[in-house]
Amino acid sequence: MQRICVIGGSRYFGRVLVERLQTAGHRVTVINRGSDGPPAGVDHLVVDRDDEAALLAALGSRTFDVVVDQVCYTPVQAAIAARAFAGRTRRYVMTSTIEVYDPATAVLPSVPAGTPVPEENVDPATWPVAMDLPWHDAAYREAHYAEGKRQAEAVLARAGGFAFAAVRSAHVLGGGVREFTGRLAHYTERIRAGEAITVHERPLPTVFIHHAELADLLLWAATAGDFTGPVNACSDGLLDVRGLAAAVAAEIGRDPVYRVVATGTPASPFSFDRQYAMSNTRAKGLGYAFSRTVDWLPGAVAETLTAATAPTAPTV
């Protein structure tokens, strides 16, 4: 049994992670602002992680074997966490994102189209940090999501006081009613209605991961792995927007309709006109075995279709 703290953990794969940790027999503490409580038997600290004094007061004398940070979006948040958990945990795992590799958001090493991107293309040990940017402004933070994640990784990687690992997640799908982004529902709804999906002239492939597989990988990174640095988390198999639409269409029984737009023009989710699909070679070398996207995608589509037709609870 390990003592594990999850920051966030109230929804989607974060909640699945908490459930997996609890089932595995670990002693789990969840820190969030209280919008959704954790499962019974999980210690719950209701506090705003951005309030350093309140966070320290809530933590008290608690120590942990591992911290899994699901909701770190800026270097300011990372710096607060680094100070709060220094000497309080031996390992810190941050959930990061494929978006750190998006060439539209930073000057990055170029990668040939179709070549999966390795972790070293964004090195948190050398990535510049700018704490004086308006990270507290929600609109700025949302517009600079990828850069916020890169800089958060950089702060935690250099913090010292604990071993640090960043799990860079591919685009997450599945979960039905748990899936809150609506990106897969965009496809199911439009294909079922015979409405056009907007795609680029030459869409490039990307990578995906099922929400339950990501929870399992985070469990592994927290409790079984002793690696440090970034690791990419994606199921096997590249897939472009037309392949995704075809998988959705196969479940619905209706051919997709496309509206083609030029490179540089906004399009439907997962239609990419630039290359940043990830490589999962490092995670495999460390011992993690991934599923194949083509194996779980039909089930994820079916979950989304079921969620769309489920009756809503009556209001009282």
Side-chain angles (χ1 to χ4, degrees):
M1 181 192 77
Q2 297 189 55
R3 295 162 299 161
I4 300 178
C5 175
V6 179
I7 306 176
S10 63
R11 61 179 181 173
Y12 206 24
F13 61 86
R15 190 168 187 89
V16 178
L17 170 63
V18 171
E19 293 165 356
R20 296 275 203 275
L21 288 166
Q22 191 177 30
T23 299
H26 299 293
R27 182 176 175 181
V28 185
T29 298
V30 166
I31 295 176
N32 60 34
R33 290 179 295 183
S35 57
D36 193 5
V42 171
D43 190 16
H44 189 197
L45 303 182
V46 179
V47 64
D48 184 347
R49 65 164 304 152
D50 295 341
D51 185 335
E52 186 169 355
L55 177 60
L56 289 169
L59 287 169
S61 60
R62 290 175 177 84
T63 59
F64 307 97
D65 296 297
V66 187
V67 173
V68 183
D69 194 341
Q70 296 281 81
V71 289
C72 189
Y73 301 112
T74 74
V76 174
Q77 291 177 323
I80 290 171
R83 290 190 293 267
F85 289 96
R88 209 183 280 271
T89 185
R90 62 172 179 80
R91 182 167 177 78
Y92 200 104
V93 178
M94 173 188 158
T95 303
S96 191
T97 172
I98 187 175
E99 301 303 330
V100 302
Y101 300 116
D102 186 352
T105 64
V107 178
L108 299 170
S110 61
V111 177
T115 302
V117 182
E119 287 85 354
E120 54 263 30
N121 268 38
V122 176
D123 182 2
T126 60
W127 195 264
V129 174
M131 302 292 285
D132 57 348
L133 296 174
W135 295 115
H136 294 291
D137 181 80
Y140 181 88
R141 187 167 61 245
E142 182 177 357
H144 296 82
Y145 171 72
E147 182 60 19
K149 284 288 193 179
R150 284 187 288 257
Q151 293 195 26
E153 284 189 32
V155 168
L156 289 165
R158 301 169 199 171
F162 45 67
F164 172 69
V167 173
R168 293 173 176 169
S169 169
H171 306 292
V172 188
L173 298 178
V177 294
R178 288 192 182 206
E179 201 280 306
F180 64 91
T181 68
R183 293 177 297 184
L184 189 54
H186 171 88
Y187 288 89
T188 59
E189 291 165 5
R190 297 190 78 82
I191 292 173
R192 187 159 49 185
E195 298 176 355
I197 296 165
T198 305
V199 300
H200 292 105
E201 289 177 306
R202 288 178 289 277
L204 292 168
T206 189
V207 285
F208 298 91
I209 191 166
H210 191 271
H211 80 293
E213 182 169 28
L214 180 55
D216 286 338
L217 188 142
L218 287 165
L219 172 66
W220 166 78
T223 63
D226 58 0
F227 66 88
T228 58
V231 64
N232 294 335
C234 57
S235 301
D236 286 337
L238 299 175
L239 193 68
D240 66 18
V241 64
R242 288 180 181 266
L244 175 64
V248 173
E251 292 298 309
I252 293 173
R254 182 168 189 168
D255 290 337
V257 177
Y258 297 108
R259 182 174 72 88
V260 179
V261 296
T263 298
T265 305
S268 290
F270 312 127
S271 182
F272 294 106
D273 55 2
R274 55 202 186 275
Q275 161 66 21
Y276 63 109
M278 298 189 300
S279 165
N280 61 13
T281 299
R282 184 179 190 224
K284 287 181 176 179
L286 291 166
Y288 193 84
F290 288 96
S291 68
R292 299 193 309 159
T293 299
V294 295
D295 290 337
W296 57 256
L297 183 55
V301 174
E303 287 177 324
T304 303
L305 290 168
T306 299
T309 58
T312 56
T315 57
V316 294

